[in-house]
Amino acid sequence: MSAEAVPAGLVPPASGIAAEQIAKRFAGRGRRGEGGVHAVNDVSLSVAAGEIVGLVGESGCGKSTLSRILIGIETPSSGRVLLDGAPVEGRAGWRALRRRVQYVFQDPYGSLCPTMTIGETLADALAVNDLGGSKAGRRERAGEILSQVGLSPADLDRHPSQFSGGQRQRIGLARALILEPEVVVCDEIVSGLDVSVQAQILNLLRELRQRLGIGLLFISHDLRVVRYLCDRVVVMYLGRIVEEGDVEQVFGDPQHPYTRGLLASVPDHAPGAPELRARVAGEPASLGELPSGCPFAPRCPLAADRCRAEDPALVAAGAQAGAGGHRARCHFAGAPR
């Protein structure tokens, strides 16, 4: 099957968020910035309102840096962020993005202020954004949003220490949803929870997507969770996308050797997934000293001379190449195995 090069740009969703050729370089400590790293390199992806996109990869691959750029915490070195198809520019543009794209943190214990009641935490999110009207109106809205995530308005006067980890993660979701965002970034939000509680949170996310029409960028190291929850999946390695497509395409017909290594690392019936490590030889290269050619070549069982000399493009691949946007960054994408 012939591989078709994917254009550098992307078609951003009419409602949702997109990253267009985003790069992020952190300078080193030397006078000239020696020793810097490219944490994210030429990444383009989108999350439309109403869809759930999974973002996976080993620790240090750039997932968190990319997510911080998408919510305006980090500034990209190059490329741009688009909201509803328009570039995010200027102070007003970034302020609008920070309200309409919300973030739920991995740690349900450290992400809530222990001295504030849940009602105060939720009302504060409204007050900072000049929403909710009066104090009474903000409290009423806070009670409504707690009900949407499976808690009770009676919980408004309680403190975070009075809740379990799963309940605190629901409160984190409530804090994000109270601003009525278009997209919510969920950063490993079920990784520290018991399996039964994970299932409750995942089902809640599905319900919220259907009921509210929000988009979700779901960052996870658990590929089974991603397959259960997400519509599309994006696989990152050393700051770049190496494969993306509809979940069933990528899981059923993985085209990149790294993706196949990730899938091989998933225990079939283990109750909880360990930190994601690809079942391939060696360790990832340093982001500050990337090898020539394909960055995955030193670990790849298929690597040839071309791989060590020529960096592959992200190309359409798989049994249904082009359908659903299944793409892989590999010289052997689409070749018989």
Side-chain angles (χ1 to χ4, degrees):
M1 183 176 295
S2 63
E4 177 185 354
V6 176
L10 81 165
V11 179
S15 179
I17 194 169
E20 187 175 67
Q21 294 182 280
I22 290 290
K24 179 64 178 181
R25 187 180 192 278
F26 293 99
R29 294 185 178 181
R31 181 177 298 178
R32 299 180 181 178
E34 298 94 338
V37 298
H38 274 101
V40 177
N41 190 2
D42 192 28
V43 168
S44 296
L45 63 78
S46 65
V47 182
E51 78 166 340
I52 306 178
V53 178
L55 182 60
V56 303
E58 292 171 283
S59 296
C61 73
K63 304 187 303 293
S64 293
T65 299
L66 177 62
S67 68
R68 289 196 296 268
I69 290 171
L70 287 173
I71 63 172
I73 293 177
E74 295 278 1
T75 302
S77 302
S78 61
R80 59 184 186 170
V81 176
L82 301 100
L83 183 64
D84 298 342
V88 179
E89 297 175 333
R91 189 172 180 178
W94 285 105
R95 179 176 173 82
L97 178 137
R98 292 186 183 104
R99 182 177 70 81
R100 294 162 66 188
V101 181
Q102 287 291 298
Y103 199 91
V104 182
F105 296 88
Q106 176 179 359
D107 182 7
Y109 295 94
S111 61
L112 297 172
C113 178
T115 62
M116 295 176 67
T117 66
I118 303 310
E120 289 169 340
T121 293
L122 297 178
D124 187 60
L126 291 171
V128 167
N129 289 275
D130 297 322
L131 299 172
S134 65
K135 184 176 180 179
R138 289 170 182 155
R139 183 178 175 85
E140 181 180 359
R141 176 60 180 149
E144 292 172 354
I145 205 69
L146 279 183
S147 297
Q148 289 193 21
V149 299
L151 296 175
S152 167
D155 294 322
L156 287 172
D157 295 319
R158 300 171 68 191
H159 288 82
S161 61
Q162 298 174 270
F163 295 89
S164 67
Q167 289 172 325
R168 292 188 202 193
Q169 210 56 288
R170 290 174 185 265
I171 295 166
L173 278 168
R175 181 173 56 185
L177 295 173
I178 200 166
L179 297 181
E180 300 182 357
E182 295 175 27
V183 176
V184 176
V185 178
C186 300
D187 189 359
E188 300 275 11
I189 68 169
V190 299
S191 63
L193 305 177
D194 292 340
V195 174
S196 60
V197 181
Q198 284 187 13
Q200 294 171 16
I201 297 296
L202 294 175
N203 289 332
L204 173 61
L205 291 175
R206 280 185 157 186
E207 293 170 11
L208 292 171
R209 184 264 291 269
Q210 184 171 2
R211 186 174 354 122
L212 304 177
I214 58 172
L216 298 172
L217 178 61
F218 187 82
I219 302 170
S220 180
H221 65 260
D222 191 331
L223 297 183
R224 294 166 303 170
V225 167
V226 169
R227 188 169 195 173
Y228 172 76
L229 179 68
C230 300
D231 306 309
R232 291 192 293 120
V233 61
V234 175
V235 183
M236 288 187 68
Y237 182 77
L238 290 179
R240 303 194 305 173
I241 293 174
V242 295
E243 187 157 2
E244 63 181 345
D246 289 349
V247 162
E248 293 307 318
Q249 291 178 342
V250 173
F251 278 73
D253 187 24
Q255 291 295 302
H256 197 283
Y258 178 65
T259 307
R260 294 197 286 272
L262 291 182
L263 292 172
S265 73
V266 178
D268 290 335
H269 303 292
E275 181 179 353
L276 188 61
R277 289 189 179 276
R279 187 176 290 179
V280 292
E283 295 291 331
S286 167
L287 285 167
E289 299 179 0
L290 292 176
S292 60
C294 174
F296 187 63
R299 303 177 71 190
C300 183
L302 303 179
D305 290 343
R306 180 187 180 190
C307 303
R308 288 179 277 271
E310 182 183 337
D311 193 8
L314 191 63
V315 299
Q320 301 181 52
H326 191 183
R327 304 177 177 95
R329 191 181 297 275
C330 180
H331 293 305
F332 296 103
R337 297 198 299 273

